[in-house]
Amino acid sequence: IADELEKYNFHATFFVVGSLAERYPELILREISEGHEIASHTWSHPHLAKLPEATLENELSATEEFLYELAEYRPKLFRPPEGKCPDSVRRVAAELDYEVVLWTVDTRDWAHTPTETIVKTVLDNTEPGAIILCHDFIGGNSPTPDALRKFIPELKRNGYEFVTVSDLIYTD
């Protein structure tokens, strides 16, 4: 995915699972060095619906601490696993000074959705200000890089610009 983004010369936001970042630190360092934004997706990708607030706080803190130790980088955006965001999740995120971010276009690439289905979903549902959800660690033969090769040029032809989530939400 990083290779594809580099070809098109644009930056994305990677919501990282801390334990995977720890396992692949060179990838996180590459993403940072190439100007991508790194955000939190918890330490272990737990189901948050009934997770105690203290456990969620530990999940976010552990990821933040690892990223800071690795690259002196502190994420300020948080995407809850599965998009589950009860009041307790919003409360803990706010206490830790995180902005909760969800998505507007779900590629369902995590389910190994066929490339052409992903492309159609993205092209049919992307509007100005959209956040397209893709996954960079789904194991096996991911359809995501091929889908990116197909939908990025088409969206660019249609006048879309690709920016990080922070650039999207913190810019007029």
Side-chain angles (χ1 to χ4, degrees), residues 19-29 66 70 137:
S19 61
L20 292 175
E22 182 180 53
R23 193 166 160 190
Y24 301 101
E26 68 284 348
L27 181 56
I28 301 303
L29 292 170
F66 173 77
L70 177 68
F137 189 83

Side-chain angles (χ1 to χ4, degrees), residues 34-74:
E34 291 179 0
H36 298 292
E37 177 175 31
I38 304 299
S40 182
H41 195 43
T42 69
W43 181 261
S44 66
H45 203 276
H47 298 287
L48 299 183
K50 296 180 181 176
L51 196 71
E53 288 185 20
T55 304
L56 175 57
E57 185 175 332
N58 289 339
E59 288 274 332
L60 288 169
S61 296
T63 300
E64 183 173 336
E65 288 168 18
F66 173 77
L67 292 172
Y68 189 78
E69 288 174 17
L70 177 68
E72 294 186 0
Y73 191 99
R74 291 205 188 276

